Amino acid sequence: MKPHWRQWVEEIRQQFPQGNSALLPLLHRIQAEEGWLSPETLADVATLLNLPVTTVESVASFYSLFYKRPVGERVVHVCVGLSCALKGADALMHRLEEHLGIRQGQTTPDGKYSLMEAECLAACDLAPVAQVNLRYMGPVPPEEYQRLLGEGEK
Amino acid sequence: MAELNTHYLLRHREVPDIDQIAVYEAHGGYQSLRRALRDFTPEAVLELVKASGLRGRGGAGFPTGMKWSFLPNDGRPRYLVVNSDEAEPGTFKDRELIEHNPHQLIEGMIISSYAIGSHDAYIYCRGEFLRGSEQLARAIREAYAHGYLGDNILDSGFSLHIHLYRGAGAYICGEESALLESLEGKRGQPRLKPPFPAVAGLYGMPTIVNNVETIANVPVLVEKGADWYRSMGTEKSPGIKIMSVSGHVRRPGNYEVPLATPLRTLIEEYAGGVWPGKLKAIIPGGSSVPLLTPDQIDTPLDYESMIAAGSMLGSGGCIVMNDETCMVWAAHRLVKFYRVESCGKCTPCREGTYWMTNILERLESGEGSQGDLEVLLDVADNIGGKCLCPLGDASLGFMVSAIRHFRDEFEAHVREHGCPLGAKRYDPINH
Ligand SMILES: Cc1cc2nc3c(=O)[nH]c(=O)nc-3n(C[C@H](O)[C@H](O)[C@H](O)COP(=O)(O)O)c2cc1C
Ligand code: FES
C-alpha cells in the first residue's frame, strides 16, 4: 500500500461519500499508477475502504477495463463491432496478431503490447477504429496496422 | 424540410473551440440558465419540457417531462443522473457532444436539476471515454469558476454540485438501473423494476436518469421555446435528433436532423449515399432494433413511423450495409456482442445469447444443419420478455428480422455448407 492512497480515499470520499461509490474511482486512480490491479492491491483497497476483500474482487472482476493481470505499456483495443467489421476490423486484428505473435487478450513477452478485442467504441464514424491506452486512432485500414504500435516513434 | 448545416446540439460544427467556456459564453452560452433562474419557476421549466414533447434520446423515447413529473413529493433528496455510457453498436453521438460541446450538457444539467429540485447531479461517463471525461472534468471546473455551479448559483438561491463518475467497461451499465448499481460502487447488474428510479434510484432516493443528448436539448428549449421545437418533426416526435450514420456510406458521421426527415435524405444527402455497392439492409436505431430493407428507405425518422415500419428509432445509430454483406455474418457479430455483454444475471439471456452465437457461427462456417433456424427462433422465443432488463430482447431485434427478410440466405448457408457470399470470418478466442 502506498501512503498517498489514503489521501486519495479522502479526496474521493468528498465527491462520493455515500454507498461504495468511492470504490470505482479509487480503482481507476490506483490502476493508472500501478498499471494493473494485483490481488495484493485489491486487498489494500479493501482495507482502505473498509470493505470485504471479496466485495472488491467481485466488483473489479465485473469491469473489463480493470486489469487483473499485468498489461503491456501500450494497450491496443481493436474494435470488432459491426460497423468496424464492415470496414475491415477483422483483417486489422489479424495483421496485429500476426505481427505481434500473440492472440487477442494476450501481452507480448517483452511487456510492450497488449492486444484486446473491444466492442463498439462509440466511434463508428472512424471505422475501423482502435484505442491505444484509451486514446482513439482511426480510421486505421488493416494495411496501416503499424500506426497502432507506434513503431518508429521516439 | 431538412435543414442541412444548422446545428443546435452539434454547435461546435459552426463554432470552433465552443468547448472553452469563454467561447461558449460569447455565443449565447449560459444565457438559457440565467433566463431560467430569473424568469422561470422550476414548475415552469417542467411545463416547458412537457410542452415541447421532448422524448428521451437514450433509446426508449420516453417523454422527458412526463418522466420528471413522476418524482414523488416527499421531501427526500432527489438526484439527476446523466447517462453517458454510450455503447450501443452504431451509436456515437454522445461521445461527440461531450468531447466537443460539453458546456451545453452542463448548462442543460443545471436547468434540469433546477426544474426537478436536485442539488447533486451525476454524470456516468463510459470508461473508454477518456478524452470525453477529461473534457467534462475541465468544463465542470470552468463552470464552478464562473459561478454556474456550487452554492447560490447566480444569486438565485439555487445550489447544485455535479459529480463526474467513470465507468470501467461494461455495456450493461447503460441500462439505467445497472448504471445506478455501478454508481453505488457495485457490479453493474440491473435491478428488479418496479420500483423505478424516479421512486427509488441512486442511494434509494428519487432519481431521474436521462441521456446526454436529451439534456443537451434543454438549454435550446429555454432559448427557443416549445412552439419552435414543435415546428419540427411530428406531433408525437417533435424537434431535432442526432443520427449517427456508419457502415457502407460515403460520409459516416453524426447528423443533426429535424425528426421525420426521410431515412433516404439522411443516407443519400447527409451521409453521401451508399458506398461501395448497393443497399441491402439498414439498422436505423442502434444494434438492438430490427433491420429495414431498401424498399423502406423513404420511412420518416420519427418514433411512430419507425415502429409502423417494423423497427425503432432507438438511439439513432444508423448502420448501413451493402449487397456484399452476409446477413448471417452480421447477425453473428451482433448476437455475439450481446453474449459478451450479458451481465449473466438472467439465465435466458446468459445462456440464450451463448447458444445463438454458437449456432450462427456454425451456419456461417458451413457446419449448420437443417433445423438450426428453428432452434434459433425457438431460443429467441425463450429470451424475449423473460429477463429483468431489455438486453436479452435487444439481442433478438436484428437476428429475428434478418431471418424474416433473408430466410433464403440463412437456408443457403445450410444447403451450400457455407457462406454463399464468401464472407471472411474472424475467429476470436472465446471469452
Ligand atoms: C442494455 C441497455 C443499454 C443501454 N445503454 C444506454 C446508454 O448507453 N445510454 C443511454 O442514454 N441509455 C441507455 N439505455 C437506456 C437507459 O436504460 C435509459 O432508458 C435512458 O438512459 C433514459 O434516458 P432518456 O429518457 O433521456 O433516453 C440502455 C438500456 C439498455 C437496456
Ligand atoms: S463498431 Fe467500432 S466503434 Fe462502433
Side-chain angles (χ1 to χ4, degrees):
Chain A
M1 189 181 310
K2 304 210 169 133
H4 54 274
W5 292 358
R6 276 187 203 287
Q7 177 60 35
W8 289 356
V9 172
E10 294 306 310
E11 288 168 23
I12 293 168
R13 280 230 166 102
Q14 277 181 13
Q15 280 281 321
F16 301 103
Q18 301 191 66
N20 294 344
S21 295
L23 178 53
L24 268 71
L26 185 62
L27 291 174
H28 270 304
R29 210 155 165 184
I30 291 179
Q31 179 170 286
E33 184 176 83
E34 300 283 294
W36 67 296
L37 300 169
S38 69
E40 295 72 36
T41 303
L42 293 180
D44 290 343
V45 168
T47 310
L48 283 166
L49 296 179
N50 207 6
L51 290 170
V53 183
T54 48
T55 302
V56 175
E57 286 171 351
S58 144
V59 171
S61 68
F62 187 82
Y63 298 95
S64 63
L65 289 182
F66 289 139
Y67 306 135
K68 272 73 64 182
R69 276 175 296 170
V71 290
E73 284 159 39
R74 251 178 122 91
V75 179
V76 181
H77 276 101
V78 178
C79 177
V80 295
L82 179 59
S83 297
C84 286
L86 292 169
K87 296 288 184 80
D90 296 357
L92 174 62
M93 182 64 110
H94 276 310
R95 298 289 280 268
L96 286 163
E97 286 183 333
E98 249 166 57
H99 181 84
L100 295 173
I102 54 173
R103 299 292 308 262
Q104 72 86 15
Q106 299 178 337
T107 299
T108 53
D110 62 4
K112 277 214 172 115
Y113 303 103
S114 292
L115 186 59
M116 313 225 188
E117 210 174 72
E119 296 302 338
C120 178
L121 286 168
C124 325
D125 49 339
L126 305 176
V129 71
Q131 284 191 328
V132 177
N133 295 342
L134 302 188
R135 302 285 173 189
Y136 286 102
M137 288 185 78
V140 187
E143 60 278 12
E144 294 176 24
Y145 69 93
Q146 273 166 318
R147 280 169 48 203
L148 294 172
L149 305 178
E151 288 171 345
E153 287 173 13
K154 63 138 194 81
Chain B
M1 168 77 212
E3 320 160 41
L4 291 141
N5 305 323
T6 309
H7 297 103
Y8 300 98
L9 301 169
L10 302 170
R11 291 186 61 205
H12 53 281
R13 300 277 178 88
E14 279 103 23
V15 187
D17 299 327
I18 201 167
D19 59 326
Q20 309 290 324
I21 197 162
V23 178
Y24 185 68
E25 286 175 327
H27 289 82
Y30 290 107
Q31 288 303 324
S32 291
L33 173 65
R34 288 178 189 278
R35 186 151 171 228
L37 294 178
R38 192 184 57 224
D39 301 340
F40 287 65
T41 61
E43 295 73 27
V45 179
L46 173 61
E47 285 313 313
L48 169 71
V49 173
K50 272 193 188 161
S52 74
L54 173 65
R55 296 173 64 162
R57 304 296 193 226
F62 195 85
T64 305
M66 193 191 295
K67 184 190 275 191
W68 291 5
S69 63
F70 289 157
L71 287 168
N73 253 326
D74 55 8
R76 288 184 295 161
R78 294 150 163 212
Y79 300 119
L80 174 71
V81 176
V82 167
N83 189 340
S84 179
D85 197 46
E86 185 174 61
E88 167 109 348
T91 314
F92 46 92
K93 63 199 176 63
D94 300 338
R95 175 183 56 83
E96 181 166 345
L97 284 173
I98 61 170
E99 284 185 356
H100 297 282
N101 192 12
H103 281 291
Q104 189 161 336
L105 172 67
I106 291 167
E107 185 176 6
M109 287 178 73
I110 309 168
I111 300 170
S112 305
S113 298
Y114 173 68
I116 65 171
S118 162
H119 300 292
D120 285 284
Y122 297 80
I123 305 174
Y124 187 96
C125 188
R126 181 175 176 183
E128 287 84 347
F129 288 171
L130 186 55
R131 167 106 184 115
S133 61
E134 287 167 356
Q135 284 288 74
L136 286 169
R138 187 180 51 77
I140 291 169
R141 273 199 309 276
E142 289 179 340
Y144 271 104
H146 286 235
Y148 300 127
L149 283 173
D151 295 330
N152 192 19
I153 296 166
L154 303 173
D155 276 330
S156 64
F158 175 68
S159 304
L160 178 71
H161 293 270
I162 291 185
H163 313 276
L164 176 63
Y165 190 92
R166 281 183 70 206
Y171 165 70
I172 187 62
C173 291
E175 192 281 330
E176 57 186 12
S177 69
L179 182 155
L180 296 174
E181 287 287 291
S182 180
L183 188 42
E184 291 181 6
K186 303 182 206 151
R187 293 164 71 88
Q189 291 187 319
R191 296 174 179 171
L192 188 63
K193 290 189 247 182
F196 289 93
V199 175
L202 184 63
Y203 310 125
M205 297 300 160
T207 301
I208 295 296
V209 182
N210 271 135
N211 173 258
V212 167
E213 184 188 352
T214 310
I215 297 297
N217 269 280
V218 172
V220 186
L221 293 181
V222 172
E223 185 195 334
K224 302 240 166 210
D227 289 342
W228 172 83
Y229 203 70
R230 283 198 167 277
S231 72
M232 294 168 290
T234 67
E235 170 70 26
K236 288 185 178 148
S237 307
I240 44 183
K241 172 87 190 87
I242 303 176
M243 297 295 300
S244 308
V245 189
S246 65
H248 294 134
V249 291
R250 229 172 236 106
R251 289 193 299 271
N254 284 316
Y255 298 100
E256 188 176 320
V257 301
L259 279 157
T261 298
L263 182 55
R264 182 193 293 281
T265 307
L266 178 71
I267 293 175
E268 294 182 357
E269 289 180 34
Y270 287 78
V274 178
W275 179 87
K278 285 210 222 71
L279 182 62
K280 180 168 182 178
I282 308 161
I283 299 176
S287 62
S288 52
V289 311
L291 63 79
L292 296 177
T293 46
D295 57 306
Q296 295 175 296
I297 192 167
D298 289 308
T299 309
L301 290 161
D302 61 65
Y303 294 95
E304 61 276 16
S305 301
M306 281 293 150
I307 288 177
S311 189
M312 283 186 282
L313 189 62
S315 57
C318 179
I319 307 176
V320 176
M321 287 174 269
N322 69 10
D323 51 357
E324 285 180 16
T325 312
C326 167
M327 290 295 113
V328 177
W329 174 87
H332 171 258
R333 184 63 51 138
L334 287 181
V335 172
K336 184 181 151 252
F337 164 75
Y338 291 99
R339 189 205 75 198
V340 170
E341 298 296 337
S342 170
C343 80
K345 186 161 169 168
C346 308
T347 310
C349 170
R350 184 186 64 239
E351 301 296 317
T353 53
Y354 174 83
W355 284 108
M356 292 191 306
T357 306
N358 284 1
I359 296 170
L360 289 164
E361 196 160 328
R362 200 154 78 203
L363 284 171
E364 185 61 7
S365 59
E367 284 148 31
S369 47
Q370 292 296 334
D372 273 353
L373 275 191
E374 274 54 49
V375 179
L376 269 183
L377 291 170
D378 188 46
V379 175
D381 255 358
N382 282 296
I383 298 175
K386 298 192 173 65
C387 306
L388 273 177
C389 94
L391 188 142
D393 292 89
S395 73
L396 308 175
F398 180 82
M399 186 194 78
V400 172
S401 65
I403 296 178
R404 195 153 72 81
H405 291 291
F406 297 95
R407 199 174 178 106
D408 280 358
E409 195 171 315
F410 280 76
E411 284 169 351
H413 279 72
V414 179
R415 214 170 39 239
E416 298 174 24
H417 304 291
C419 182
L421 287 151
K424 304 251 180 334
R425 192 171 55 89
Y426 172 59
D427 198 357
I429 297 170
N430 283 340
H431 55 239

